């Protein structure tokens, strides 16, 4: 049976996960077994549950107990369910809840690179993409446009930050992903070597005059291809570009020089996953 708990004390430590802990505190880098994240909205929570993530507690608007959150509650067993009216929850969390439901969940151990890439023919590699909104949007495009996995360099924003999860609409739970190493000095030399060992050719999205067009037949014929996307402002590092098998550009019109990394990812994934 669910444990419905009416919120009467804003300072209760059980509510810290929703109201007072930062994303980095939730990540708990030094004690990863204690790491948590927040999933927001019934649909996103259900996608996390479908993927096997473990719920810790729920925070929801009272009216959703028998409404939109009913199915989520039924799937979460006897975890605590903290509830109150919308205005109280907004005051507690500091933001308006999307569809009135938050779920604190355990972070599982990261899978190995080999496990994430097993059987994959098209993967995305994100280099130093630090904006969680862009990370979430890229994951949504990757899942929708038939990419098999996403790899992130150590300086990328974490895909389980609340905003990344929300923007991705929970697709971060549907597509395999992991980090390429634990520290920034492992990229690009070691990370690129690992991709090569796994049999991937690398295609860097870059604004270079000698880049091939995104519809180049050679790209389409590669059995295993990793599509590399760089940071929001600077793009891919020169050291990374030097190690790639291809540099690829999306043709532009009307004098536009480039696309946002999330928009470019959608174009690249659509073309290169055919």
């Amino acid at each position: 049976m669910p444990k419905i708990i009416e919120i009467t004390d804003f300072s209760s430590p059980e509510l810290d996960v929703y109201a007072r802990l930062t994303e980095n505190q939730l990540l708990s880098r030094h004690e990863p077994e204690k790491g948590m994240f927040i999933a927001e909205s019934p649909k996103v929570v259900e996608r996390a549950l479908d993927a096997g993530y473990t719920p810790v507690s729920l925070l929801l608007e009272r009216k959703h107990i028998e409404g939109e959150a009913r199915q989520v509650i039924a799937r979460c067993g006897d975890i605590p369910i903290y509830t109150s009216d919308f205005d109280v929850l907004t005051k507690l969390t500091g933001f308006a809840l999307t569809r009135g439901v938050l779920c604190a969940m355990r972070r599982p151990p990261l899978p190995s690179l080999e496990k994430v890439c097993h059987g994959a023919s098209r993967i995305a590699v994100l280099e130093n993409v630090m904006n969680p909104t862009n990370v979430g949007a890229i994951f949504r495009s990757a899942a929708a446009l038939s990419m098999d996995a996403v790899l992130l360099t150590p300086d990328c924003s974490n895909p389980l930050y609340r905003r990344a999860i929300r923007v991705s609409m929970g697709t971060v739970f549907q597509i395999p992903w992991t980090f390429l190493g634990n520290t920034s000095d492992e990229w690009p030399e070691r990370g690129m070597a690992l991709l090569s060992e796994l049999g991937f050719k690398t295609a860097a999205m870059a604004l270079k005059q000698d880049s091939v067009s995104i519809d180049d037949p050679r790209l389409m014929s590669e059995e295993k291809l990793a599509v590399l996307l760089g940071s929001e402002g600077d793009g891919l590092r020169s050291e990374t570009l030097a190690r790639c098998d291809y540099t690829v550009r999306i043709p532009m019109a009307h004098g536009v020089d480039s696309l946002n990394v999330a928009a470019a990812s959608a174009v690249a994934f659509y073309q290169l996953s055919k």
Side-chain angles (χ1 to χ4, degrees), residues 79-90:
I79 65 172
I81 299 171
Y82 301 100
T83 186
S84 192
D85 293 327
F86 178 84
D87 290 344
V88 172
L89 298 184
T90 299

